[in-house]
Amino acid sequence: MGEKPLDFLLSCKLEKMKITEEVLHTLRGEKTSVYPAAPKKTGRAALLFSVALCVILPILLYLPSLRAPFFFDDLTYIVENPAIRSTDNLRKMFSESYDAHSWHKIVISRPLTYLTFVANYNAGQLDPAGYRIVNMILHALVAVLVLFLTIEIKFLAYKKSNILPALAVALIFAVHPINTEVVTFAAHRSDSMSALFFLGSCLLFIRSYRGSVIAHIFSVLCFALAVLSKESAAILPAVLILLDALFLTGADSNTDWRAAVKKRIVWHLPFWAMFAAVLVYRYARFGGMGDVGTQTSLRWGHLTYFTTQIVVVAQYLRLLIMPVGQSIDHFVEPRMALFTREIFLSLAALSAMPVLFAYAYRNNPETRRLLIFAVGWFALVLAPTSSFMPLNDAMAERRIYLA
């Protein structure tokens, strides 16, 4: 009959017993996986070329910044900061009383970032070029992770692997003018460092869903490193819930995504435990979230800051679409009233784009899911700095680096 006896018997019984294809493979001794497949490997040459572009283009773009001196926040947080002179000085910051009127809070909130400043100082003292070279390398690495994460998300949404859209997204990120502050301000390295570990944690979380416990452990570790680089990375657990609900356990249209995520609560629990630890530490050390200091509390109330952020976030969106009118120091007046023409127009601008896209792709669930993720990512990443927790500077372009 040309078939092996076992194959013949199994094929005859298949109709009666309704054995699934996966069980048939198992009986034959073939390995199968219950986890979703990873994206089919993109051509090695295409992937290497894409990575090279993500590294080379931003470095070439920012090379002229190596000739610039330290300026603005660099002077306070690097040039005049004794904490970067040695690891001993850095360690002392954690044992001394908190001083709300100096760089002290920034140092003890972002110890990993300041360890890199110590390394920079030991290598080249106060040579600005050395600090900016590190910033450029970090930015290039973040662009590479944007490439990889976009490939993963696109595959999870469409079950197709295509590197060109991912490359376009990564290159836009790599050369977008809005990221100038993060790359050229040596003192704002915390944003690129935090983004690097934040994106790495997301990628490893996706890998862990495919059955890798080691990937899950390293995803939690990357989250810890992201928070130690900049405290706003603590929002990552909420982003992972969104990612899980839309593309992983909640991707099956026949499954209630809430129930699916609850089944994976053990996988999410370490991230939320760390989130709680960050909150407890900040309240114990600083007395609250945001900028807890006399100057901030005199200028901003929680509701006033939230009202103002509606206008600020609309400005962020405009700068992402049309980067005109950028500034290293946006002065924003508090908006005292909620029901004003400016607030209404800002809310309309923030709502119009996602609503229009959702309507345009109402019959395309895959694209609609991507749009929900994009809007959710944007809102969650901005939540620590653009919600009810006042910061002294209401608007800063570096805050949308990861958004």
Side-chain angles (χ1 to χ4, degrees), residues 179-246:
N179 296 327
T180 302
E181 183 177 339
V182 173
V183 184
T184 59
F185 266 64
H188 295 318
R189 178 181 300 172
S190 56
D191 291 275
S192 53
M193 282 188 63
S194 176
L196 184 70
F197 295 119
F198 192 104
L199 295 173
S201 183
C202 290
L203 281 164
L204 288 164
F205 186 81
I206 294 172
R207 178 68 62 86
S208 74
Y209 183 74
R210 299 188 177 112
S212 173
V213 176
I214 297 298
H216 184 259
I217 293 171
F218 277 98
S219 179
V220 175
L221 177 61
C222 279
F223 176 42
L225 295 175
V227 171
L228 291 173
S229 299
K230 189 172 184 180
E231 59 278 18
S232 59
I235 198 65
L236 177 65
V239 174
L240 294 181
I241 289 284
L242 183 70
L243 176 65
D244 202 347
L246 290 173

Side-chain angles (χ1 to χ4, degrees), residues 74-368:
D74 293 343
L75 300 176
T76 302
Y77 297 125
I78 294 179
V79 177
E80 300 167 4
N81 189 351
I84 73 164
R85 303 297 195 269
S86 70
T87 53
D88 288 337
N89 287 356
L90 186 61
R91 188 165 52 249
K92 287 177 184 176
M93 295 292 102
F94 291 88
S95 59
E96 294 177 355
S97 300
Y98 161 57
D99 181 2
H101 303 286
S102 73
W103 33 257
H104 192 168
K105 177 184 174 183
I106 298 294
V107 174
I108 60 180
S109 296
R110 305 167 188 178
L112 189 59
T113 299
Y114 275 84
L115 273 176
T116 68
F117 289 151
V118 171
N120 260 132
Y121 185 83
N122 288 334
Q125 300 294 300
L126 291 175
D127 177 14
Y131 293 79
R132 292 203 174 92
I133 286 172
V134 174
N135 282 21
M136 288 160 55
I137 293 171
L138 284 169
H139 180 60
L141 291 175
V142 173
V144 171
L145 290 192
V146 169
L147 172 71
F148 289 147
L149 185 59
T150 308
I151 291 173
E152 287 281 2
I153 296 295
K154 186 176 182 298
F155 176 79
L156 290 170
Y158 296 102
K159 301 299 182 284
K160 296 177 182 177
S161 184
N162 185 350
I163 200 171
L164 289 180
L167 178 60
V169 170
L171 290 181
I172 289 172
F173 171 83
V175 303
H176 200 293
I178 202 66
N179 296 327
T180 302
E181 183 177 339
V182 173
V183 184
T184 59
F185 266 64
H188 295 318
R189 178 181 300 172
S190 56
D191 291 275
S192 53
M193 282 188 63
S194 176
L196 184 70
F197 295 119
F198 192 104
L199 295 173
S201 183
C202 290
L203 281 164
L204 288 164
F205 186 81
I206 294 172
R207 178 68 62 86
S208 74
Y209 183 74
R210 299 188 177 112
S212 173
V213 176
I214 297 298
H216 184 259
I217 293 171
F218 277 98
S219 179
V220 175
L221 177 61
C222 279
F223 176 42
L225 295 175
V227 171
L228 291 173
S229 299
K230 189 172 184 180
E231 59 278 18
S232 59
I235 198 65
L236 177 65
V239 174
L240 294 181
I241 289 284
L242 183 70
L243 176 65
D244 202 347
L246 290 173
F247 299 116
L248 300 175
T249 55
D252 187 351
S253 59
N254 298 318
T255 302
D256 180 0
W257 64 265
R258 295 175 187 85
V261 170
K262 284 179 182 177
K263 289 180 181 178
R264 279 172 46 81
I265 192 67
V266 173
W267 290 83
H268 288 275
L269 194 57
F271 297 95
W272 287 102
M274 197 173 300
F275 174 81
V278 171
L279 293 184
V280 169
Y281 172 76
R282 289 190 67 81
Y283 272 95
R285 193 75 163 97
F286 307 126
M289 303 299 289
D291 283 340
V292 183
T294 305
Q295 185 179 1
T296 303
S297 59
L298 286 176
R299 186 180 183 196
W300 298 107
H302 292 285
L303 184 57
T304 303
Y305 188 79
F306 175 76
T307 304
T308 305
Q309 285 306 304
I310 296 173
V311 178
V312 169
V313 173
Q315 288 298 315
Y316 286 152
L317 185 60
R318 180 191 65 78
L319 286 170
L320 286 172
I321 298 170
M322 186 175 61
V324 176
Q326 289 182 252
S327 173
I328 61 173
D329 187 18
H330 291 274
F331 180 77
V332 179
E333 288 284 358
R335 269 60 172 186
M336 308 302 293
L338 181 59
F339 301 103
T340 64
R341 182 173 176 271
E342 184 183 33
I343 298 294
F344 174 78
L345 291 175
S346 297
L347 285 172
L350 291 172
S351 306
M353 189 172 294
V355 169
L356 288 174
F357 275 117
Y359 179 79
Y361 292 101
R362 62 191 181 281
N363 297 322
N364 188 329
E366 294 84 6
T367 303
R368 188 169 63 246

Side-chain angles (χ1 to χ4, degrees), residues 39-53:
K40 290 182 181 179
K41 288 186 178 180
T42 308
R44 186 184 183 89
L47 186 60
L48 287 175
F49 177 73
S50 299
V51 169
L53 278 179

Side-chain angles (χ1 to χ4, degrees), residues 19-45:
I19 300 176
T20 63
E21 185 179 353
E22 187 170 344
V23 174
L24 183 59
H25 284 308
T26 304
L27 290 173
R28 284 174 171 167
E30 297 173 1
K31 291 183 179 179
T32 58
S33 174
V34 297
Y35 301 106
K40 290 182 181 179
K41 288 186 178 180
T42 308
R44 186 184 183 89

